[in-house]
Amino acid sequence: MPAQPLNAQNDQNFSNVVKTLADILLLQGSISQEQSRQIKFTEIQTGKTQEEIVLEQGFVAEADLVRAKSNLYNIPFLDLETTPSSPEALSILPQQVAQRFRVFPISIDKNSKILNLAMADPLDLTAVGFIEQKTGYRVKPYASQPTKIDTQVTAAYSSSLAKEVTEALKEVAPEKRLIQVVDSGRTSVVREEKVSEIVKQILSFAVKSRASDIHIEPQEKSTRVRYRIDGILQEKLTTPKELHDGLVSRIKILSGMKIDEKRVPQDGRFNFSADNEEVDLRVSTLPTTWGEKIVIRLLKKTGGIPDLTELGLRGRAMKHLEDAIVRPHGIILITGPTGSGKTTTLYSIIQRINTPKVNIMTLEDPIEYKIAGVNQVQVNPGAGLTFASGLRSFLRQDPNVILVGEIRDQETADLAVQASLTGHLVFSTLHTTDASGALPRMLDMGAEPYLLASSITAIMAQRVLRKIHTACRIDYTPDEKVVMEIKKTLGNLWKPDTGVKFYKGQGCNECGNSGYYGRVGIFEVLPVSEKISRLILERSSSAEIENTAKEEGMVTMKQDGYMKVIDGMTSLEEVLRVAQE
């Protein structure tokens, strides 16, 4: 029988007499009353400590045991999986010392001379004394899982990011850390070189870890560096506050911005090469409370554009989309929130229909990938080149296919409709949550229902979710209630007759212990049939349009996600994270 935590009344009465590890584990719900009594009885019989007995019997997970010990000794608990490396802290504690005492340096406070230290045994006074003498800092201990300390010590000290930044920090003496790029003299040059090296390592790590964005964010006492990997932000590094202005200035110089202008946002871009891979970096700065924040978007120039099957399109959705893109005219809309992969899908479609026989013109903001043989135009509102004005000019350029980055207003919507009715194939995007919501949105923008009904051929909604890392994938049997819910959602799409197995990633070094590697899309494609056209003419709601589309065989995003869960491509948690209504 699983352990149950004590109720609130017992909890309050019991808290006055809690004295042992078994009592706290019982309070946490980690063990049962019977197991608690067994631990105490064995302690009396054998003279072993309660911790030794718990470990021998394997009653609880390591994390639960460490949390209980932190509660017992009144020492804060720390989860190292969510803690970034601090090169400054790593630089004052050698790897050999960290491995010998099973500790990991989290951060340092130079003013109060405190070293925050994750420890497998926070009561090890010998370790505390040795480290205090070695570093000259007073240790503030945190309780943490021994296995995670081992993993973090290996990863952080060997990671090129933390290692190189640590080396660079060592060479910048503390009294010279206030870096000013405009300084003159020999010491300034050395310091500039070190800042350049740190920036280079931050960018190189982003390329190696497949990050799509880098966030360099000033905090009150430090600067944190976060990477968006497979769509999720992960904090990987903290650097001293004094280095922030130097990092910002270096990145501004590279991207052609004004380094002395700190009051207004700026944009720039530059190229960077690492591991034989060239990336285009789009840089944005923003003044915040503690200084300028920088966000860098990475766009790979190598590797090419994925085809539609690589994105995750298949089955009915693929057939409906293929039917729409082979038509010579009409509007195809891709919908979804920011970051849902709409632009990538559009590029994949354009790549597919790109032949010397057709004139393809795109109007984008910004141009993310350059495609050979396609006429790509960058929107420039300052010069009067907007989506609407550009689209009007396109019609005089004899196009076969037009891609408009986004339909934002009535003028652009009207022009897109007119372009499709005059024999052009038009692609564009809209910010709506699902495919059926795009039609009422176009009507709200002022598009005429009778024109819309005859011009739109298909609407696709999409999201991106993380793929399970196949190298560390394991299967498990899901709860019966979960299976019944999925079966109900899938209806006649349900395939398995025997036992259902789901999959998850255990986590390994290659996937950064996340269990995920790469991303895949989930899609719903709504072809505009005669019934749907009539609903547009009647200005029907998105719910009515969606129900009719389902009756006609449309596979929803959630259904597509569940099928990818059954196929072992992704996890149930990922589908619920991005597609739960």
Side-chain angles (χ1 to χ4, degrees), residues 396-407:
R396 296 191 288 271
Q397 290 283 321
D398 185 32
N400 298 100
V401 178
I402 297 172
L403 186 155
V404 186
E406 186 184 344
I407 294 177

Side-chain angles (χ1 to χ4, degrees), residues 205-206 209-213 227-234 236 466 511 516 519:
F205 184 82
S209 59
R210 304 170 294 106
S212 61
D213 299 85
Y227 295 85
R228 192 175 293 282
I229 301 169
D230 292 332
I232 305 292
L233 272 175
Q234 299 177 24
K236 293 287 186 184
R466 294 180 290 173
C511 64
Y516 297 98
R519 293 197 283 174

Side-chain angles (χ1 to χ4, degrees), residues 89 104-109 114-118 138-142:
F104 182 75
I106 305 158
S107 60
I108 59 171
D109 186 333
I114 289 175
L115 168 63
N116 296 305
L117 193 69
R138 189 160 51 86
V139 167
K140 182 179 179 183
Y142 288 81

